[in-house]
Amino acid sequence: MGIVNVTPDSFSDGGRFFDAALALDHARRMASDGADLIDIGGESTRPGAAPIVLEEELARVIPLAETLARDGIAVSVDTRKPEVMRAAIAAGAAMINDVCALTVEGALDACAASEVGVCLMHMCGEPRTMQQAPSYGDVVAEVRDFLLARAQACIAAGIAPSRIVLDPGFGFGKTLAHNLALLRALPDLAAAGYPVLAGLSRKASLGQITGRGVGERLPASLAAALAAVARGAAIVRVHDVRATVDALKVWLAVEARSPMG
Ligand code: 7PJ
């Protein structure tokens, strides 16, 4: 999954793709580099980010989603808002990627009324404050229990289990130790039977480990993507598609597995 942020304030490529034509080029390049899915986000969920109004988010995301879907590129839309979900689905999105796991009123119904895939992510708190003092008893159990409860809520709302993807939400109200515990325990989450998505690309934890700034985290991001796939992640959400696809091809060849195996 390649990331396109159409926000002026995203932490790693802030503003660079805020121009619609640039965003479109970037998305098409990621698809030709081997991304199976392009994730379009119009609201930054980086730590400390402020919410944006509906009209602004729709204007940032929907025209791009529509154009890519018309090109035959599978699109995921990263949003918490039911209104954006409905518009994304009408525009031809294949997946709704929700950092709030469809907990906002109306979100479950918006997705249930279609055939889109849904990515349910765990977040502790909300983006504005989530990194202030994240704390858990047992982070692995709490994240898994939350995600499985949200999967059940989806199923009860009429979303088929085959449409559900789970994501532990690296960096969303988690310290480095929490993120590492969740990454090590990824096989347990994958054992629940839903595909698991891992988003570690360029994140702060990789900076903590390596001492690198956000623009210098490609090697760290590649190592993290491989570590996640080796532990059962079915989808990795990344900024650097070409490099990640190469790294995964080598890993898969060594493992003697097909790309989708
Ligand atoms: C994630 C996301 C993630 C899913 C962001 C960033 C922050 N969606 N949206 N999983 N992260 N599903 O890209 O660093 O980890 S925004």
Side-chain angles (χ1 to χ4, degrees):
M1 171 188 274
I3 303 169
V4 184
N5 286 314
V6 245
T7 62
D9 60 353
S10 296
F11 89 105
S12 72
D13 53 10
R16 271 214 295 145
F17 298 109
F18 194 47
D19 181 272
L22 278 181
L24 182 58
D25 273 2
H26 182 59
R28 285 181 170 146
R29 173 138 328 110
M30 288 196 294
S32 70
D33 283 343
D36 294 319
L37 198 54
I38 301 296
D39 189 45
I40 307 171
E43 179 182 34
S44 176
T45 45
R46 78 187 155 85
I52 60 162
V53 296
L54 173 64
E55 290 70 25
E56 179 65 25
E57 191 178 341
L58 286 169
R60 289 179 188 180
V61 165
I62 299 304
L64 180 58
E66 211 158 26
T67 305
L68 292 174
R70 222 182 303 121
D71 284 0
I73 293 173
V75 167
S76 149
V77 171
D78 189 340
T79 186
R80 318 184 246 184
K81 297 191 181 77
E83 298 87 346
V84 178
M85 293 174 187
R86 287 183 200 280
I89 290 163
M95 181 184 276
I96 299 298
N97 171 26
D98 184 1
V99 299
C100 287
L102 306 182
T103 52
V104 171
E105 173 88 46
L108 276 173
D109 290 343
C111 292
S114 76
E115 290 300 320
V116 281
V118 295
C119 179
L120 309 174
M121 198 197 78
H122 176 274
M123 169 162 55
C124 181
E126 49 153 329
R128 210 167 43 77
T129 54
M130 66 190 177
Q131 288 304 104
Q132 281 169 11
S135 145
Y136 300 83
D138 178 341
V139 66
V140 169
E142 285 174 40
V143 167
R144 187 193 52 225
D145 291 352
F146 169 82
L147 292 175
L148 293 181
R150 291 312 299 159
Q152 283 309 315
C154 285
I155 292 164
I159 297 172
S162 59
R163 293 168 51 193
I164 298 172
V165 174
L166 304 183
D167 180 349
F170 294 106
F172 284 84
K174 283 130 192 150
T175 63
L176 171 59
H178 294 142
N179 289 324
L180 288 174
L182 287 166
L183 184 51
R184 291 186 191 110
L186 224 49
D188 300 339
L189 185 58
Y194 300 100
V196 169
L197 185 152
L200 286 151
S201 184
R202 300 185 188 173
K203 282 191 177 170
S205 283
L206 304 183
Q208 282 178 266
I209 295 169
T210 59
R212 304 286 183 206
V214 73
E216 296 182 309
R217 294 181 190 159
L218 174 58
S221 299
L222 296 176
L226 291 180
V229 172
R231 284 163 183 75
I235 306 172
V236 282
R237 182 179 178 277
V238 304
H239 299 88
D240 302 284
V241 170
R242 215 159 88 113
T244 308
V245 167
D246 281 2
L248 285 172
K249 277 182 177 168
V250 172
W251 185 83
L252 290 166
V254 173
E255 296 290 311
R257 283 168 45 175
S258 66
M260 298 306 289

